[in-house]
């Protein structure tokens, strides 16, 4: 069994501690805040002792060594090691709120006195710039509206998928709560007939048979499913050739309860025969 290395990076306050706990629960040997220049030596040292699964968390405090990481990861892959980079992200407003609620200082803040909101925003944006290169090479998870249990579940779901195959993630969401930052493609289905205005369907979701039956009879819904599927069937093979491991397709409606949920479920089932698929419902999974 080849060694599997999960490289966990992301913005401060985005949930790396929660993610590391999920990895520990899944049987990974975890280390936090490892300097990038020690990665290869650490893997060589720890592999014989801890078997096939290691997880390493890094952040912007190691900024001077981050440019070395892509070359190191390429070398590890050349040695037959399975490398799975994960990047945790969140909106700036969410991060500001989290730091304010916990009264923690941002790790990159070097000031001696109290930090105002504007200074904290500038520090967060500076951290985004430092980590932009790592974000581009990793599977991004937007934790802005995720509860800790949702993040843990998402991590475990992703790691259960085959690494050598593209995993297609369909995610429903509500536009009123913001577009997911981890989406590779976003489809707006708010123009479709809305079950919310049917009294018998209002409290149900797109996972319930009466809502599915209602939407299945709407020509616009069937056309939307066909158009999204046609687009993905055209471009997914090109993404595979580009060595993509994960593609997240976000489908949004007003409340993230009916139309987007139904279409995410339908597309997941449609593509499951050809690709590894996952289905998430951002607004429902947190209930």
């Amino acid at each position: 069994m080849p060694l599997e290395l999960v490289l966990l990076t992301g913005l401060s306050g985005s949930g790396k501690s929660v993610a590391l706990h999920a990895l520990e629960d899944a049987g990974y040997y975890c280390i936090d805040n490892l300097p990038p220049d020690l990665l290869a030596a650490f893997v060589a040292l720890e592999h014989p002792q801890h078997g096939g699964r290691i997880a390493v968390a890094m952040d912007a405090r190691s900024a001077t060594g981050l440019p070395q990481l892509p070359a190191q990861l390429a070398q590890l892959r050349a040695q037959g090691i399975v490398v799975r980079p994960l990047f945790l992200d969140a909106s700036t407003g969410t991060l500001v709120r989290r730091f304010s609620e916990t009264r923690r200082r941002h790790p990159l803040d070097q000031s001696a006195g109290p930090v105002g909101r504007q200074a904290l925003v500038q520090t967060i944006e500076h951290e985004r710039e430092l980590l932009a290169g790592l974000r581009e090479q990793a599977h991004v998870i937007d934790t802005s509206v995720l509860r800790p249990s949702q993040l843990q579940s998402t991590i475990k779901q992703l790691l259960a998928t085959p690494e050598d195959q593209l995993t297609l993630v369909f995610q429903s969401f509500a536009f009123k709560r913001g577009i997911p930052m981890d989406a590779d493609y976003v489809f707006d289905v708010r123009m479709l007939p809305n079950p919310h205005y049917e009294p018998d369907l209002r409290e149900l979701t797109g996972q319930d048979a009466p809502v599915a039956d209602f939407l299945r009879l709407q020509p616009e819904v069937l056309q939307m499913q066909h158009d999204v599927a046609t687009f993905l069937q055209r471009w997914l093979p090109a993404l595979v050739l580009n060595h993509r491991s994960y593609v997240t397709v976000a489908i949004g409606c007003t409340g993230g309860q009916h139309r987007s949920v139904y279409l995410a479920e339908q597309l997941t089932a449609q593509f499951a025969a050809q690709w590894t698929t996952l289905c998430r419902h951002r607004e429902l999974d947190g209930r």
Side-chain angles (χ1 to χ4, degrees), residues 39-67:
L39 178 61
F42 171 77
V43 170
L45 178 66
E46 296 298 328
H47 182 202
Q49 299 184 51
H50 297 100
R53 296 210 232 169
I54 297 174
V56 173
M58 296 182 184
D59 58 36
R61 286 173 290 184
S62 302
T64 56
L66 293 179

Side-chain angles (χ1 to χ4, degrees), residues 222-252:
L222 298 179
Q223 186 64 51
M224 176 65 75
Q225 181 179 336
H226 174 269
D227 290 346
V228 173
T230 299
F231 174 85
L232 294 174
Q233 287 163 350
R234 169 64 181 85
W235 291 107
L236 285 177
L239 291 170
V240 172
L241 292 176
N242 199 38
H243 307 291
R244 291 290 298 273
S245 298
Y246 303 95
V247 173
T248 299
V249 180
I251 302 171

Side-chain angles (χ1 to χ4, degrees), residues 36-260:
D37 53 351
L38 297 180
L39 178 61
F42 171 77
V43 170
L45 178 66
E46 296 298 328
H47 182 202
Q49 299 184 51
H50 297 100
R53 296 210 232 169
I54 297 174
V56 173
M58 296 182 184
D59 58 36
R61 286 173 290 184
S62 302
T64 56
L66 293 179
Q68 307 170 20
L69 269 179
Q72 290 195 56
L73 296 181
Q75 291 175 358
L76 293 174
R77 289 189 173 103
Q79 298 170 21
I81 295 172
V82 175
V83 180
R84 309 185 88 167
L86 299 178
F87 188 99
L88 303 187
D89 204 346
S91 68
T92 297
T94 296
L95 295 173
V96 169
R97 175 177 54 79
R98 289 175 181 172
F99 277 106
S100 298
E101 289 175 350
T102 60
R103 299 189 178 180
R104 291 174 49 226
R105 297 184 76 87
H106 193 285
L108 296 185
D109 175 29
Q110 302 297 320
S111 61
V115 179
R117 176 184 174 87
Q118 188 57 39
L120 178 56
V121 168
Q122 291 175 353
T123 301
I124 292 170
E125 294 308 317
H126 175 56
E127 185 179 33
R128 285 193 194 280
E129 295 176 4
L130 293 174
L131 297 176
L134 290 178
R135 190 185 193 280
E136 290 178 1
Q137 300 181 40
H139 177 66
V140 180
I141 302 174
D142 180 7
T143 70
S144 301
V145 299
L146 294 185
R147 294 178 178 146
S149 60
Q150 289 177 278
L151 176 55
Q152 290 176 336
S153 175
T154 296
I155 294 284
K156 292 175 182 178
Q157 262 192 328
L158 288 172
L159 296 178
T161 60
E163 190 277 335
D164 58 349
Q165 301 176 22
L166 182 140
T167 297
L168 189 54
V169 182
F170 290 99
Q171 178 177 201
S172 68
F173 72 96
F175 270 97
K176 67 182 182 181
R177 297 188 70 196
I179 297 174
M181 298 174 65
D182 52 6
D184 296 294
Y185 299 104
V186 177
F187 293 95
D188 183 351
V189 301
R190 287 175 291 183
M191 76 294 292
L192 300 179
N194 192 351
H196 175 80
Y197 297 110
E198 302 293 327
D200 293 339
L201 304 179
R202 181 171 299 176
E203 301 303 320
L204 303 178
T205 77
Q207 294 175 309
D208 294 314
V211 173
D213 292 341
F214 171 84
L215 291 172
R216 198 176 291 117
L217 294 175
Q218 310 302 319
E220 304 99 311
V221 174
L222 298 179
Q223 186 64 51
M224 176 65 75
Q225 181 179 336
H226 174 269
D227 290 346
V228 173
T230 299
F231 174 85
L232 294 174
Q233 287 163 350
R234 169 64 181 85
W235 291 107
L236 285 177
L239 291 170
V240 172
L241 292 176
N242 199 38
H243 307 291
R244 291 290 298 273
S245 298
Y246 303 95
V247 173
T248 299
V249 180
I251 302 171
C253 61
T254 305
Q257 179 178 337
H258 297 111
R259 296 164 291 181
S260 60

